[in-house]
Amino acid sequence: MTDVNNKTLWGGRFDEAASPLLRQFNDSLPFDQRLWLEDIFGSMAYAEGLARAGILTTEESDLLLAGLEQVAQEWRDGVFQIASGDEDIHTAVERRLGELIGPVAGKLHTGRSRNDQIATDQRWWLRNRIDELDGLLAGLITVAVARAEAEIDVLMPGYTHLQLAQPMRWSQWLLSHVWAWQRDRERLADLRRRANLSPLGAGALAGNPFAVDRHALAADLGFDGPIPNSIDAVRDRDYVVEFLSWAALLGVHLSQLAEDLILWSSREFGFVSVAEQFSTGSSIMPQKRNPDSLELVRGKSGRLAGNLMALLTTLKGMPAAYNKDLQEDKERLFDSVDTLLITLPVTAGVVQTLSINPQRMRAALGDELLATDLAEYLVRRGVPFRQSHELVGRAVKRAESLDVPLSELSLAEFQAISSEFGEDVAAVFDFEQSVERRDVYGGPSRRAVQEQIEELRTHLM
Ligand code: ARG
């Protein structure tokens, strides 16, 4: 027997060293080293659990705890030395622990497997990232709500099919995105409940033979409780799928916001202008000021969706318990987390520093945006809506053929279409009034928008 594999955690039954090709393919340390803190603190809790179960003496567990603290300090100080045999973060930490405290380090892994260990590390890590991302999302909402309140007077055209539809408040549009983010926060809180459960003590798949108290271990690590089935505990990556799905949907929401703003920042619309801090220029066209920040926000939605698809495909058809396929969850998860950790603050920055051009918005308000109001005017005079829709359609057509705005059609022209049109029809052509009439809960009237702002603020408390 060669001793070439003695440095692995599993060398005993092997005669030959792993191929360098396999090492490169299999080793996860390059990406799972970011779990060092969770791995070490998880091991500390486990050492204490072993001591409580009577498997380690207090002296042994104290030695382990002191050694683990020293390993943690090396990571913290950025001086931890990776050795050539370090396959993953678990191996690296245990190897170093052995160098520091000697053979007692070999007792740490009693009854534990890297299968329950990695699942524990990762769930804990994600829980903390979830809380961080929720804070960033709340920050984005805070910025957008403040804008919506400050700019509540600004009117602009509302679009459906990218065609002029009805007048609205700029704030109503902004808040429409905020409500999607509010749902994202609710979804995140919900999936956190399923993520924050402890696999520790599940072993490789068949549980722990040393009667460690899984409930106590879970509590020590801040989990809401242990996962009830040992096989499920090591296999389950639903929480990663749920997170990636959450991230993908948030990516879609951010992308939609970005698209609206990119379009409106074009010269043709001119409704908004992205701050210089969040714009870039062209290397050839000196006049350019491009909304790259928002284009990247829109573009990142692709990788967020891709990460979800990748993991779903990896998990499909995987047989029971732990398989190495599961190692593929990490880079997808880290990528989605990292993507959002920068995308959310960038989006908040863009929204906060954006300038708007209320005159341009006002100028884009064409009379046809009030065609629905005109039909409603007839409804108030007793004309059934179907009929009033038809009559106003004729008025629109007439104005078009005379090449005048709808509001400039003479009373005689209106009355030629329907005798229900009276002198007071002129009063319909008021954008502010149109918006204010829509005073229903959730509507664009000043009061209704303010009501939304208050409601959103209760969620921010
Ligand atoms: N690096 C592995 C992963 O990310 C850790 C678990 C390894 N377990 C094993 N039986 N080889 O999934």
Side-chain angles (χ1 to χ4, degrees):
M1 191 183 115
T2 67
D3 65 357
V4 73
N5 263 321
N6 281 355
K7 284 191 181 135
T8 68
L9 296 179
W10 37 261
R13 58 102 63 235
F14 283 79
D15 290 330
E16 279 191 72
S19 145
L21 215 46
L22 176 71
R23 292 290 315 275
Q24 195 189 337
F25 194 53
N26 180 63
D27 288 4
S28 53
L29 189 63
F31 49 87
D32 70 15
Q33 57 178 274
R34 66 193 290 175
L35 299 173
W36 68 264
L37 186 141
E38 292 75 13
D39 195 73
I40 294 173
F41 286 87
S43 285
M44 287 179 170
Y46 191 65
E48 289 177 312
L50 286 176
R52 277 198 302 263
I55 301 304
L56 296 179
T57 64
T58 322
E59 295 70 51
E60 288 172 328
S61 76
D62 284 350
L63 203 54
L64 285 169
L65 293 184
L68 286 165
E69 179 46 46
Q70 214 175 323
V71 180
Q73 197 55 46
E74 293 185 2
W75 278 104
R76 229 177 262 126
D77 295 342
V79 297
F80 184 93
Q81 294 288 326
I82 288 168
S84 66
D86 292 349
E87 180 181 336
D88 51 28
I89 185 61
H90 326 299
T91 317
V93 168
E94 203 179 311
R95 188 261 313 149
R96 182 65 185 137
L97 185 64
E99 289 166 6
L100 291 170
I101 66 169
V104 69
K107 293 199 171 190
L108 174 63
H109 212 52
T110 310
R112 190 173 62 166
S113 159
R114 283 181 294 165
N115 300 351
D116 56 345
Q117 192 176 358
I118 186 60
T120 304
D121 294 1
Q122 184 163 286
R123 282 175 182 267
W124 181 8
W125 180 87
L126 182 58
R127 173 187 75 209
N128 292 336
R129 300 296 84 72
I130 284 174
D131 296 344
E132 205 175 326
L133 288 167
D134 184 60
L136 292 175
L137 196 46
L140 172 60
I141 291 177
T142 304
V143 163
V145 166
R147 258 212 111 117
E149 187 165 51
E151 293 166 343
I152 199 166
D153 292 334
V154 177
L155 298 186
M156 69 179 298
Y159 299 84
T160 61
H161 311 264
L162 269 186
Q163 307 290 319
L164 290 174
Q166 291 185 292
M168 65 176 182
R169 290 193 185 281
W170 149 257
S171 302
Q172 174 77 344
W173 166 82
L174 195 49
L175 293 178
S176 74
H177 287 284
V178 175
W179 283 110
W181 302 331
Q182 173 55 32
R183 288 193 297 280
D184 289 325
R185 286 192 74 199
E186 289 164 19
R187 266 185 283 271
L188 189 62
D190 187 58
L191 77 90
R192 188 191 191 280
R193 293 188 299 117
R194 285 177 294 280
N196 195 35
L197 295 174
S198 172
L200 198 55
L205 79 165
N208 185 296
F210 298 107
V212 294
D213 181 345
R214 293 194 57 213
H215 290 272
L217 283 175
D220 286 352
L221 295 172
F223 287 110
D224 295 333
I227 296 172
N229 176 296
S230 63
I231 297 177
D232 188 40
V234 294
R235 170 187 52 201
D236 175 32
R237 293 296 184 276
D238 291 1
Y239 70 100
V240 185
V241 170
E242 284 191 67
F243 177 82
L244 293 179
S245 156
W246 172 83
L249 183 55
L250 173 56
V252 168
H253 294 153
L254 295 174
S255 173
Q256 288 173 345
L257 170 94
E259 172 56 20
D260 280 347
L261 291 175
I262 291 167
L263 189 67
W264 293 348
S265 73
S266 68
R267 162 77 78 86
E268 289 71 11
F269 280 87
F271 294 170
V272 303
S273 163
V274 176
E276 286 194 7
Q277 306 169 52
F278 288 102
S279 305
T280 63
S282 157
S283 58
I284 174 167
M285 297 166 283
Q287 85 285 9
K288 291 280 266 178
R289 180 161 140 194
N290 298 326
D292 294 41
S293 49
L294 290 170
E295 291 164 41
L296 279 169
V297 169
R298 189 176 59 188
K300 299 278 183 199
S301 63
R303 67 198 285 161
L304 293 170
N307 287 339
L308 171 63
M309 285 310 123
L311 183 61
L312 282 172
T313 312
T314 289
L315 293 176
K316 178 192 167 297
M318 196 192 70
Y322 183 85
N323 299 268
K324 202 54 171 278
D325 314 38
L326 291 175
Q327 182 165 288
E328 283 295 305
D329 65 350
K330 262 155 234 74
E331 288 159 290
R332 302 303 101 227
L333 175 62
F334 296 158
D335 185 71
S336 283
V337 168
D338 292 341
T339 298
L340 287 173
L341 284 175
I342 178 82
T343 304
L344 284 168
V346 165
T347 308
V350 172
V351 171
Q352 186 155 34
T353 57
L354 194 76
S355 53
I356 63 170
N357 189 334
Q359 293 75 30
R360 285 292 302 240
M361 293 177 177
R362 221 0 166 182
L365 290 169
D367 285 351
E368 63 268 49
L369 286 148
L370 297 172
T372 311
D373 294 72
L374 201 54
E376 289 157 1
Y377 161 87
L378 291 177
V379 164
R380 288 198 171 85
R381 299 174 73 113
V383 181
F385 181 75
R386 271 298 141 241
Q387 201 184 330
S388 66
H389 185 286
E390 164 77 24
L391 294 170
V392 172
R394 271 188 244 158
V396 168
K397 201 169 168 191
R398 184 71 187 137
E400 256 173 34
S401 68
L402 295 173
D403 200 21
V404 295
L406 195 54
S407 60
E408 279 167 35
L409 217 52
S410 67
L411 184 57
E413 288 283 0
F414 272 121
Q415 288 182 333
I417 294 166
S418 166
S419 57
E420 291 299 334
F421 284 112
E423 295 263 11
D424 55 352
V425 68
V428 170
F429 295 99
D430 181 324
F431 297 106
E432 180 81 26
Q433 282 311 309
S434 162
V435 169
E436 284 306 287
R437 268 195 298 274
R438 292 174 163 70
D439 189 33
V440 67
Y441 174 79
S445 75
R446 188 185 310 271
R447 187 205 59 80
V449 169
Q450 195 60 49
E451 191 171 51
Q452 291 179 60
I453 291 171
E454 305 313 331
E455 200 174 326
L456 282 163
R457 287 208 169 119
T458 65
H459 293 296
L460 286 170
M461 292 192 297

